Amino acid sequence: MSISLDTTVSSLMTNRRRVGALKSLGVLTVLDAITYYPFRVTDPVPMLPLRSISVGGAAAFAGVVRELRVRPLAARRGYRLEALIDDTEFALEHSVRPSSANLVFFSYKKHYVDWLSSRLAQGSRLVVQGESSFFNDRLQFTHPETLVIGKDVASQEEGLARVSRPRPVYHANSRISSEHIHESIVMMLQALAGSGEAETASSSPVPGASATGEEERADVSRVSANDLSRAIPDIVPEDIRVSNGAMHRAEAIVAMHEPADTKEFAHAITSLRYEEAFISQTALLRSREGVRATPGYPCPVDETHRLPADFIASLPFDLTGGQRDVVDAIQEDMAKPYPMQRLLQGEVGSGKTVVCVAAMLQAVDAGNQAVLVAPTQVLAEQHYQTISEMVRKLSAAKSAESAESGDEAKHDIPVVLLTGGMRLAQRRKVLALAASGEPCMVIATHAAFSTTFQAPNLALVVIDEQHRFGVEQREALRRKNEVAPHLLIMTATPIPRTAALTWFGDLDISELRELPGGRKPIRTIVVQEADGGTMSRMFIHIRQRVDAGERAYIVCPRIDESSDAEEDPEGGNLMSPDESEEGSAVLPLHSVEEIERRLQALPQLEGIRIATLSGRDDDETKQRVMHDFATGETPVLVATTVIEVGVDVPQASCIVVFDADRFGLSQLHQLRGRVGRGGTRSWAFFISRAEADSIAAQRLAIIEHSSDGTEIAQADLELRGAGDVLGDAQSGGRSSLKLLRVVKDADVVVHAREQASELLSKDPELSGETVLAGAVLDFIRGNESFLATT
């Protein structure tokens, strides 16, 4: 049977339970197996004669089997195999007196016992590694690892080196242990290297064949990296790999799963991290160049196309320096004949909407169409109201200017809303307008991704809160027309620049760090839920703010008691119990239903109307609830994180987040940004049940004392990992980045990008690097969603 990286695990192993257990880890093919990397290695096992081994310690030694006995187990079906081994020669080499020990194995498989008996027959020379115990006045090793060796010294030394070297430790589960994962992977490496026929490996008592986990390897030799290289070619060009001091890919994979020592294991990790960085950066750079070869919609800004400038002049405030710089950069990009691709990062309230409207007006002014896609209906409606009002004022100013000059030209700019919950007649009207190709601005939800939405002159696509959308959705908009639209991706989730370089390396990146004038710092207070006095004072404070005409959000991670305790119902990433402190992990998370009931009973909030809001509410209910909250009819809103993004109620001055210790820092920073938008003093109360010295408490201390979104995001990346912070849309369900760390390996990413850029400048099509070209193509096709526009 021919073995390749695409060979399925099920075709190599007859043990169905083992195959199923590996499948639960995402290991379906040989490639999945060899790239299922260990997260650490154990310390080397000392090589000691039997007299020097302390009870309970792990050790390796060499010896000869002097006696073998197999006994049936009286109490239950099965067998006990016991081999008496002495270490005479090995002890003399270490200048100590010889001794003996028992090797004990239990099994209910007769064929396994027979096979083991043949290996441990009287006179067999072995090297043994295991944990010692003491039974019947004799040292004993239960189910140790044994290797049969020859009579020569070299064979003994090689065997001892093999069993005593560091062992890889894998992320396992209740269905399969780390040791059995290791055995299965090594078996596949051996098969791939051609060290044994697949059928033999799957039908004899070797790794993966036994249902009881009593597997051993009778061969002493390590998997040959040279043999393996025929099946696992190097991906990084040799001159680049050598210049970085990296291992050949086959050598690195062997060193990951069969390390000779910890130093070799570390070298393998470094080599494979660089490989991941080089492939990802090559893919991003090729994607970027590919877009520049695609025709786009030139949208000039000149004396005859002044709509963006007129819009900025019509605003009742001056743009910040950062806003002006970003507007200028976007105008320059959109005037080019190929599509713009830009990521706009901006702190909550930094003025991204104004920048976005200026870009949309630039597209409309050139006779084209623009669409802004928001992740929730609440946010889409708020964008629609805000943008409609901005454009109405612009149109009025333009009309007044025309009237003064005697020009009766109309300056109405259609701004329409498209959501999945619209009435059919209204929806058809909006779809007809877009399909006509008439210049217009469409504010939409996921409805823009449907096949019914057609915009033949779509020149600009703006994606708000990009981490809420997958690549396939964004690509659906780009594929609607032969000419690719400009793309502006906006996020209020701060992403450290090194992370952005890794995830969005094919985009130009702009940042808005300044906040518009009038915004006051938000006072952040972490409150222990068990502190009744502080909780009471907090609700008294909220009552005072409400009586002053302000509003308060109360945020809960669950909708009701029956909803999933570990999932943010609005699609966020709550910390799993093993990531937070032990106490809060066993307590149920608070729900909107529960907290609304408790607030209604509080004397501090007596007489105040309280509303609830979650993603389960229908569109009409959401509109009514947000209207009543904004007008003050229901000044306290108990909600899920549906209010996290974009909701803009200037009168909101207080936000309370229950179970804050279970949210990521970036998400808490987003939620905090819902208040203080009207220039009033504002407060954020993060309610926690975390122990004072827990990791969760340390995380909350970071956001309590910092309002710098980038600093907070950096801490969140380091504490939680990139996928959790940026969202699953970026991390990918089965990302090829298994070892590369976005923050800690920033220098590796930058260096790889420089070398990838140099390579592509000489060979843009990678015609001389076919293996790398294939890896880049696999990478792009493999749901690597951080290729945000590929």
Side-chain angles (χ1 to χ4, degrees):
M1 177 180 175
S2 176
I3 309 295
S4 72
L5 295 177
D6 295 325
T7 300
T8 60
V9 172
S10 59
S11 67
L12 286 175
M13 301 171 66
T14 58
N15 182 345
R16 296 301 97 188
R17 278 192 285 176
R18 177 68 62 84
V19 171
L22 291 171
K23 183 179 179 180
S24 71
L25 299 174
V27 177
L28 304 177
T29 66
V30 172
L31 178 61
D32 294 333
I34 66 175
T35 57
Y36 190 82
Y37 299 126
F39 62 92
R40 68 178 180 89
V41 292
T42 62
D43 293 328
V45 175
M47 292 179 278
L48 300 171
L50 290 173
R51 285 196 179 275
S52 301
I53 297 174
S54 57
V55 176
F61 64 94
V64 178
V65 177
R66 297 305 181 191
E67 184 179 337
L68 180 70
R69 290 182 294 182
V70 177
R71 298 177 180 175
L73 297 174
R76 59 187 176 89
R77 185 169 61 93
Y79 304 88
R80 171 190 171 100
L81 183 151
E82 184 176 309
L84 178 64
I85 186 171
D86 74 49
D87 67 342
T88 302
E89 293 182 14
F90 188 65
L92 291 176
E93 292 173 8
H94 287 76
S95 302
V96 297
R97 286 188 299 135
S99 186
S100 61
N102 284 335
L103 311 182
V104 180
F105 303 84
F106 298 92
S107 177
Y108 64 88
K109 294 281 188 177
K110 183 65 165 62
H111 72 84
Y112 171 75
V113 173
D114 291 342
W115 173 80
L116 193 57
S117 297
S118 68
R119 295 188 65 240
L120 305 184
Q122 185 175 348
S124 297
R125 296 173 60 82
L126 307 176
V127 292
V128 180
Q129 187 274 125
E131 188 172 307
S132 63
S133 60
F134 204 70
F135 183 74
N136 283 345
D137 298 325
R138 178 170 285 160
L139 204 61
Q140 178 171 294
F141 295 84
T142 304
H143 284 278
E145 179 179 1
T146 60
L147 294 178
V148 179
I149 59 173
K151 295 182 179 181
D152 57 291
V153 175
S155 178
Q156 176 177 300
E157 290 179 350
E158 186 177 355
L160 284 168
R162 179 179 178 83
V163 299
S164 64
R165 70 174 178 271
R167 299 304 177 94
V169 182
Y170 302 81
H171 287 293
N173 59 28
S174 59
R175 299 179 62 183
I176 186 169
S177 67
S178 174
E179 180 183 353
H180 293 160
I181 292 170
H182 178 233
E183 291 168 348
S184 300
I185 292 173
V186 170
M187 181 273 285
M188 286 180 240
L189 286 173
Q190 290 172 333
L192 197 60
S195 60
E197 291 296 325
E199 291 300 323
T200 302
S202 64
S203 59
S204 61
V206 293
S210 168
T212 61
E214 302 146 329
E215 304 86 317
E216 295 183 61
R217 289 192 300 277
D219 61 306
V220 174
S221 61
R222 188 187 189 198
V223 175
S224 167
N226 187 51
D227 292 341
L228 198 62
S229 65
R230 294 193 294 268
I232 306 178
D234 224 348
I235 294 177
V236 179
E238 185 175 6
D239 58 333
I240 295 176
R241 176 179 64 78
V242 171
S243 71
N244 287 283
M247 293 177 166
H248 186 286
R249 189 173 193 232
E251 183 184 5
I253 286 174
V254 170
M256 287 293 287
H257 300 294
E258 293 272 81
D261 50 45
T262 55
K263 184 178 180 180
E264 186 182 65
F265 181 75
H267 190 190
I269 290 177
T270 301
S271 300
L272 292 171
R273 276 186 182 145
Y274 182 80
E275 178 189 277
E276 290 181 358
F278 190 80
I279 294 171
S280 66
Q281 294 308 303
T282 303
L284 287 163
L285 290 170
R286 286 202 72 192
S287 174
R288 185 186 183 104
E289 292 305 314
V291 168
R292 291 185 175 181
T294 304
Y297 290 89
C299 300
V301 176
D302 50 34
E303 290 303 317
T304 58
H305 298 89
R306 293 187 47 81
L307 203 54
D310 292 340
F311 163 67
I312 292 170
S314 71
L315 295 171
F317 52 82
D318 293 329
L319 298 187
T320 65
Q323 285 175 311
R324 285 193 297 271
D325 291 342
V326 175
V327 167
D328 289 345
I330 289 174
Q331 289 182 351
E332 183 179 344
D333 283 353
M334 290 182 63
K336 294 174 181 176
Y338 55 83
M340 170 185 73
Q341 296 205 130
R342 186 169 290 276
L343 171 68
L344 174 58
Q345 295 190 77
E347 284 281 6
V348 174
S350 60
K352 295 185 299 297
T353 303
V354 169
V355 173
C356 157
V357 173
M360 296 178 78
L361 287 171
Q362 185 174 344
V364 170
D365 201 19
N368 301 311
Q369 299 167 304
V371 61
L372 165 62
V373 187
T376 66
Q377 178 159 328
V378 170
L379 180 54
E381 289 168 350
Q382 290 218 334
H383 274 318
Y384 173 67
Q385 293 168 2
T386 301
I387 293 173
S388 295
E389 181 62 19
M390 286 180 173
V391 172
R392 185 192 65 77
K393 291 180 179 179
L394 169 63
S395 297
K398 293 286 287 182
S399 296
E401 182 182 319
S402 297
E404 288 181 8
S405 62
D407 185 0
E408 296 184 359
K410 292 185 178 181
H411 298 281
D412 292 338
I413 302 167
V415 181
V416 294
L417 176 67
L418 177 64
T419 68
M422 295 174 64
R423 289 187 174 88
L424 184 59
Q426 188 179 9
R427 181 183 175 86
R428 283 176 174 170
K429 184 177 179 181
V430 173
L431 291 174
L433 173 65
S436 71
E438 180 183 342
C440 61
M441 300 166 65
V442 181
I443 316 301
T445 57
H446 292 70
F449 302 124
S450 69
T451 55
T452 58
F453 177 71
Q454 298 296 325
N457 295 320
L458 184 60
L460 174 65
V461 173
V462 182
I463 302 291
D464 195 14
E465 288 310 319
Q466 46 74 35
H467 68 281
R468 296 298 184 99
F469 298 103
V471 170
E472 295 79 6
Q473 293 171 311
R474 296 193 287 266
E475 184 66 8
L477 279 173
R478 296 191 54 178
R479 285 196 299 261
K480 288 183 181 289
N481 304 315
E482 291 183 4
V483 181
H486 299 288
L487 179 68
L488 177 62
I489 295 175
M490 302 195 302
T491 179
T493 303
I495 306 170
R497 195 162 191 84
T498 52
L501 179 65
T502 303
W503 258 257
F504 306 105
D506 53 344
L507 307 181
D508 293 307
I509 301 172
S510 296
E511 292 182 87
L512 291 176
R513 302 295 295 270
E514 290 179 79
L515 293 180
R519 293 294 297 269
K520 292 184 172 62
I522 300 168
R523 185 178 177 190
T524 303
I525 303 169
V526 175
V527 180
Q528 284 295 318
E529 189 172 345
D531 185 350
T534 303
M535 292 286 288
S536 178
R537 289 192 297 274
M538 177 186 73
F539 286 117
I540 291 173
H541 174 79
I542 290 173
R543 175 60 185 255
Q544 292 171 344
R545 302 326 309 158
V546 169
D547 288 345
E550 297 167 14
R551 317 280 187 271
Y553 296 105
I554 312 292
V555 178
C556 306
R558 298 169 66 192
I559 299 174
D560 54 41
E561 280 83 347
S562 63
S563 58
D564 193 326
E566 306 307 334
E567 280 191 20
D568 179 346
E570 312 305 338
N573 293 318
L574 294 176
M575 301 292 281
S576 59
D578 61 351
E579 290 179 283
S580 62
E581 54 86 22
E582 185 177 354
S584 66
V586 297
L587 296 173
L589 300 177
H590 293 299
S591 69
V592 169
E593 185 180 86
E594 169 213 351
I595 293 299
E596 190 267 343
R597 188 170 59 245
R598 286 172 55 183
L599 295 183
Q600 294 284 7
L602 281 178
Q604 295 96 322
L605 301 182
E606 185 178 356
I608 292 178
R609 291 189 60 186
I610 300 172
T612 62
L613 182 69
S614 75
R616 287 185 191 169
D617 294 325
D618 57 43
D619 297 336
E620 186 176 339
T621 300
K622 289 176 182 176
Q623 291 177 351
R624 175 177 50 79
V625 169
M626 287 308 301
H627 176 269
D628 290 349
F629 181 65
T631 60
E633 188 171 341
T634 52
V636 175
L637 179 62
V638 184
T640 59
T641 55
V642 69
I643 60 100
E644 172 189 355
V645 174
V647 174
D648 188 4
V649 178
Q651 298 85 358
S653 64
C654 294
I655 185 167
V656 178
V657 181
F658 279 92
D659 296 305
D661 49 300
R662 296 292 293 276
F663 289 93
L665 296 182
S666 292
Q667 192 170 25
L668 290 175
H669 183 60
Q670 283 269 39
L671 289 167
R672 179 168 60 182
R674 294 309 100 209
V675 298
R677 304 174 74 87
T680 60
R681 293 179 61 198
S682 300
W683 293 262
F685 299 96
F686 294 148
I687 312 303
S688 169
R689 290 184 281 188
E691 296 293 336
D693 57 350
S694 66
I695 295 176
Q698 295 173 29
R699 289 173 37 248
L700 289 177
I702 292 170
I703 196 166
E704 184 176 24
H705 298 103
S706 177
S707 59
D708 186 321
T710 302
E711 177 184 317
I712 291 167
Q714 179 95 5
D716 217 5
L717 274 170
E718 292 171 352
L719 290 168
R720 303 183 66 195
D724 287 335
V725 176
L726 300 177
D728 288 339
Q730 272 67 257
S731 65
R734 293 177 64 189
S735 170
S736 288
L737 295 187
K738 298 174 182 291
L739 298 170
L740 192 67
R741 302 163 302 182
V742 176
V743 176
K744 294 183 179 179
D745 296 326
D747 292 343
V748 177
V749 172
V750 171
H751 182 56
R753 189 178 184 86
E754 292 171 353
Q755 292 193 308
S757 178
E758 184 178 344
L759 174 65
L760 290 172
S761 67
K762 299 175 183 175
D763 186 4
E765 301 301 319
L766 297 177
S767 55
E769 301 292 344
T770 55
V771 178
L772 174 61
V776 167
L777 188 60
D778 289 342
F779 186 86
I780 293 172
R781 289 175 175 173
N783 292 324
E784 306 311 326
S785 301
F786 44 83
L787 291 177
T789 57
T790 299

